[in-house]
């Protein structure tokens, strides 16, 4: 099942194609190249334009004196609300410290004390200072800079400004590369293909499915939608983390909103209402530093009680020097919008931030489609469970990208990957998947914000289901009856991908009749471990309906049949 698009007019071949240029994608590409594999990086904008560069707070790892992977494990499991895969988390926290050191060896510079030790801070859900940061609050930008420089220094082949369309497969259903559309002029133009027996999806998140998000405009769920069309399973898509403290720009603000990092609270900022009352005190032992779902719910409840659209983050006691040295990026963003955090509280409200679910993988990043891997925010490794612990995302991208590269290299050496690039099945003459008109994007965002946002209920999710189904049915009927669909193009492909992930997210949220982690059902306020300490797994059927099932336990089933025998 593929998007309606012209047949590829050009192609290149490689051992591996990595789709995405954040910390996960570039780490995977560098490790594959170091293993002697011919590697091509495809990215939707410029190499340094993904979600990684927007990460402010830092990267979590047990690097400080007295801290241990076991303590990091404990904090992660608590934040994940009973749905983390403990083995996956243990891999993360055990391999994480050395992975960060290798990132430093690659050229990333983290903030250090006068004695030359890493400066570590705290964020929500962490009981220790274990967040390494760079440039005060520009960690992602520094990591992106170092990895991009390494990629360019090693001469990796890259295709920038390219929207990935679909996975190519051979006659046996194995991965054979990807089709993509290059936007603008360059070495390649228009629709083409990268043929490879291994594809690594590192496409980031899907925050643009909501009206207000911290995600860049390119985060339209392309990787999850591609994987679904290719027959892969996705899991836990209902667990969308809403960052508690996003700069409030007004009730009609849409698109990417400025983030006010959790590290601001980690350094002692207080959440207050219009009367200056610290409303998180007494709600959780960590108050403002509770896990993100707790803080987002606390803010939303207080907003409801006070009939207002935002709360405030008060860090006036920091003083000008600390704001300028520790949080220069946030200070500049606030001042650009007419707010001076040195002299006044900052208006904040929750906004869509991070997808804890995604394409289901095993410990090596392998999906349920042979040859297709996933890492970073597009993947569901089991690390985050029902709610991501702050600053675990960059670490997960780093650790699992390295594991993917090692698995691909081992498969290549063992001859498990085809020696020659497999021939993909022919491009379909008739569109198999209908495209939506560009304006559907805004309709989807409004539907999702109203029906599947921070606050959800059976009624709101039913409305969202009906409205999304109407969009889907109208497009499908036009295609099935007379072969008509919207004109192929970036806007229509993105809108179609957003509808795909929105339908899956709402289906899972509707099925999960409990409140857990960042999934908050007003009509099912309690956590139900008896019936719902399990995962929701979704596939796309050939007729474009959704196949939804739950796992028997909180453990993920294997992604490969043979793994059951191991």
């Amino acid at each position: 099942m593929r998007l309606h698009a012209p047949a590829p007019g050009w192609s290149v071949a490689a051992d591996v194609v990595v789709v995405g240029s954040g910390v996960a994608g570039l780490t995977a590409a560098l490790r594959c190249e170091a293993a002697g594999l011919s590697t091509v990086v495809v990215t939707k904008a410029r190499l340094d334009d993904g979600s990684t560069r927007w990460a402010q707070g830092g990267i979590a790892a047990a690097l400080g004196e007295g801290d241990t992977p076991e303590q990091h494990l404990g904090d992660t499991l608590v934040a994940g609300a009973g749905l983390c895969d403990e083995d996956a988390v243990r891999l993360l926290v055990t391999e994480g410290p050395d992975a960060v050191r290798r990132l430093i060896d690659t050229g990333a510079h983290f903030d250090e004390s006068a004695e030359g030790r890493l400066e570590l801070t705290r964020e929500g859900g962490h009981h220790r200072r274990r967040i390494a940061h760079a440039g005060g609050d520009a960690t992602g930008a520094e990591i992106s800079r170092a990895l991009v420089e390494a990629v360019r220094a090693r001469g990796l082949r890259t295709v920038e400004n390219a929207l990935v369309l679909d996975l190519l497969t051979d006659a046996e259903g194995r991965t054979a590369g990807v089709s993509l559309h290059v936007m603008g002029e360059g070495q390649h133009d228009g629709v083409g293909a990268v043929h490879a027996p291994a594809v690594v999806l590192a496409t980031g998140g899907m925050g643009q499915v909501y009206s207000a998000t911290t995600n860049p405009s390119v985060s339209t769920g392309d990787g999850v939608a591609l994987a679904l069309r290719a027959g892969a399973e996705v899991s836990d898509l209902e667990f969308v983390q809403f960052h508690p403290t996003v700069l409030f720009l007004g009730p009609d603000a849409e698109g990417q909103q400025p983030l006010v990092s959790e590290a601001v609270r980690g350094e002692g900022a207080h959440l207050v209402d219009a009367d200056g009352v610290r409303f998180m005190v007494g709600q959780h032992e960590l108050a403002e530093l509770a896990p993100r779902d707790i803080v987002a719910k606390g803010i939303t409840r207080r907003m409801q009680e006070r009939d207002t659209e935002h709360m405030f983050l008060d860090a006036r006691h920091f003083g000008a020097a600390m704001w300028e040295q520790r949080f220069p990026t946030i200070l500049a963003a606030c001042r650009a919008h007419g707010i001076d955090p040195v002299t006044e509280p900052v208006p904040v409200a929750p906004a869509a931030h991070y997808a804890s679910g995604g394409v289901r993988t095993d410990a090596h990043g392998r999906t349920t489609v042979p040859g297709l891997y996933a890492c970073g925010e597009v993947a569901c490794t089991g690390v985050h469970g029902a709610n991501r612990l702050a600053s675990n995302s960059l670490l997960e991208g780093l650790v699992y990208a390295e594991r993917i590269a090692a698995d691909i290299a081992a498969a290549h050496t063992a001859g498990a990957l085809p020696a020659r690039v497999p021939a993909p099945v022919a491009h379909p003459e008739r569109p198999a998947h209908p495209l939506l008109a560009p304006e559907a994007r805004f309709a989807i965002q409004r539907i999702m914000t109203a029906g599947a946002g921070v606050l959800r209920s059976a009624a709101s999710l039913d409305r969202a289901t009906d409205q999304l189904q109407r969009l889907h049915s109208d497009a499908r009927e036009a295609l099935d009856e007379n072969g008509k669909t919207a004109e192929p193009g970036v806007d229509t492909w993105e809108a179609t991908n957003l509808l795909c992930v929105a339908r899956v997210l709402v289906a899972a949220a509707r099925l999960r009749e409990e409140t857990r982690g960042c999934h908050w059902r007003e009509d099912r306020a309690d956590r139900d471990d008896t019936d719902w300490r399990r995962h929701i797994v979704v596939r796309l059927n050939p007729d474009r309906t959704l196949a939804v099932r739950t796992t028997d336990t909180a453990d993920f089933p294997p992604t490969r049949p043979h793994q059951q025998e191991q």
Side-chain angles (χ1 to χ4, degrees):
M1 194 184 304
R2 299 183 191 174
L3 289 172
H4 179 39
W10 55 269
S11 66
V12 297
D15 295 322
V16 186
V17 55
V18 177
V19 186
S21 61
V23 62
L26 294 188
T27 298
L30 287 166
R31 297 293 181 270
C32 284
E33 187 270 344
L37 299 168
S38 168
T39 306
V40 173
V41 177
V42 173
T43 187
K44 194 172 180 180
R46 298 188 307 273
L47 273 184
D48 62 352
D49 237 2
S51 292
T52 291
R53 64 176 285 220
W54 298 100
Q56 294 174 344
I59 185 167
L63 295 162
E65 185 176 347
D67 197 6
T68 65
E70 201 66 26
Q71 294 177 65
H72 190 183
L73 172 80
D75 285 345
T76 301
L77 295 179
V78 168
L83 277 189
C84 294
D85 182 306
E86 187 167 338
D87 290 339
V89 179
R90 195 171 295 282
L91 284 174
L92 178 83
V93 300
T94 303
E95 298 181 9
D98 283 343
V100 173
R101 293 183 186 103
R102 285 189 289 272
L103 180 61
I104 293 171
D105 290 341
T106 301
H109 301 294
F110 291 95
D111 296 336
E112 296 180 344
S113 66
E115 295 79 30
R117 295 179 180 174
L118 283 177
E119 278 189 350
L120 302 174
T121 190
R122 273 184 70 194
E123 292 185 354
H126 293 273
H127 283 80
R128 283 190 173 273
R129 286 182 170 264
R130 65 168 66 97
I131 316 299
H133 49 84
D137 58 357
T139 310
E142 170 57 19
I143 290 173
S144 181
R145 178 206 62 78
L147 292 173
V148 168
E149 285 189 7
V151 163
R152 288 178 173 152
R154 296 182 193 180
L156 266 73
R157 187 167 191 169
T158 61
V159 183
E160 297 181 271
N161 300 306
L163 170 63
V164 66
L165 298 175
D166 280 301
L167 187 74
L168 303 177
T169 53
D170 64 15
E172 275 113 42
R174 278 198 55 89
T175 292
V178 293
S179 59
L180 62 154
H181 173 76
V182 179
M183 301 168 274
E185 297 180 1
Q187 183 180 2
H188 301 294
D189 190 2
V191 175
V194 180
H195 298 299
V199 170
V200 181
L201 290 181
T203 51
M206 54 186 190
Q208 290 292 326
V209 78
Y210 292 96
S211 297
T213 177
T214 62
N215 288 198
S217 61
V218 295
S219 297
T220 51
D222 307 320
V224 171
L226 172 151
L228 282 163
R229 288 192 296 272
E233 293 183 345
V234 303
S235 184
D236 298 355
L237 232 59
E238 69 272 30
F239 296 117
V240 176
Q241 188 177 82
F242 288 79
H243 198 287
T245 53
V246 175
L247 186 62
F248 181 74
L249 301 181
D252 299 322
E254 293 184 335
Q256 186 178 9
Q257 316 285 304
L259 178 66
V260 182
S261 170
E262 195 147 3
V264 178
R265 282 175 282 136
E267 296 292 351
H270 302 143
L271 279 168
V272 298
D273 60 21
D275 296 327
V277 176
R278 287 182 62 191
F279 55 88
M280 285 304 300
V281 174
Q283 291 198 38
H284 191 275
E285 60 166 332
L286 296 176
E288 285 94 349
L289 283 177
R292 287 178 175 174
D293 63 307
I294 303 295
V295 180
K297 291 171 188 175
I299 291 173
T300 304
R301 286 193 183 108
R302 196 66 162 191
M303 285 162 51
Q304 288 179 325
E305 292 169 4
R306 292 304 182 91
D307 192 25
T308 185
E309 294 170 314
H310 65 83
M311 288 287 113
F312 294 94
L313 191 63
D314 191 353
R316 290 175 290 180
H317 54 284
F318 284 6
M322 181 173 174
W323 268 110
E324 291 166 0
Q325 293 168 16
R326 180 69 178 84
F327 301 110
T329 307
I330 299 170
L331 179 64
C334 289
R335 286 177 170 171
H337 291 283
I339 300 156
D340 189 348
V342 176
T343 61
E344 60 186 315
V346 178
V348 293
H353 183 55
Y354 189 88
S356 293
V359 185
R360 190 167 76 80
T361 74
D362 65 8
H364 301 282
R366 296 177 292 202
T367 74
T368 51
V369 174
L372 178 64
Y373 296 77
C375 56
E377 191 174 354
V378 71
C380 184
T381 62
V383 160
H384 303 306
N387 185 42
R388 176 177 68 95
L389 181 64
S391 288
N392 268 357
S393 53
L394 291 174
L395 190 70
E396 184 200 29
L398 193 62
V399 167
Y400 280 86
E402 291 189 342
R403 295 184 68 81
I404 285 173
D407 191 77
I408 295 174
H412 190 268
T413 300
L417 288 179
R420 298 173 58 189
V421 176
V425 295
H427 184 82
E429 292 183 9
R430 187 177 185 274
H433 200 82
L435 299 180
L436 271 68
E439 55 269 23
R441 176 178 184 142
F442 305 105
I444 294 164
Q445 291 172 335
R446 288 190 292 270
I447 291 167
M448 294 299 290
T449 299
V454 178
L455 304 178
R456 303 169 180 179
S457 66
S460 75
L461 291 165
D462 284 348
R463 284 194 300 272
T465 299
D466 291 344
Q467 292 167 331
L468 294 172
Q469 183 60 37
R470 197 171 304 125
L471 290 173
H472 174 72
S473 297
D474 289 349
R476 186 183 62 190
E477 287 170 9
L479 177 63
D480 290 346
E481 290 177 5
N482 51 35
K484 289 186 177 180
T485 186
E487 191 70 24
V490 173
D491 291 344
T492 57
W493 289 321
E494 286 186 334
T496 303
N497 286 338
L498 285 171
L499 178 61
C500 180
V501 297
R503 290 177 63 220
V504 175
L505 193 162
V506 170
R510 195 181 184 199
L511 181 60
R512 184 174 290 280
E513 294 184 334
E514 64 157 355
T515 288
R516 182 186 296 271
C518 51
H519 171 67
W520 184 15
R521 286 280 298 259
E522 291 182 282
D523 55 332
R524 295 286 190 273
D526 297 325
R527 173 170 153 177
D528 180 0
D529 279 346
T530 301
D531 292 329
W532 286 110
R533 191 163 177 259
R534 59 193 68 203
H535 303 276
I536 296 174
V537 179
V538 183
R539 284 188 302 102
L540 192 62
N541 289 322
D543 64 356
R544 302 185 288 277
T545 58
L546 301 179
V548 185
R549 66 181 176 89
T550 59
T551 58
D552 295 331
T553 68
D555 297 328
F556 272 144
T559 58
R560 298 279 193 276
H562 71 268
Q563 289 176 318
Q564 294 171 341
E565 302 166 7
Q566 294 179 355

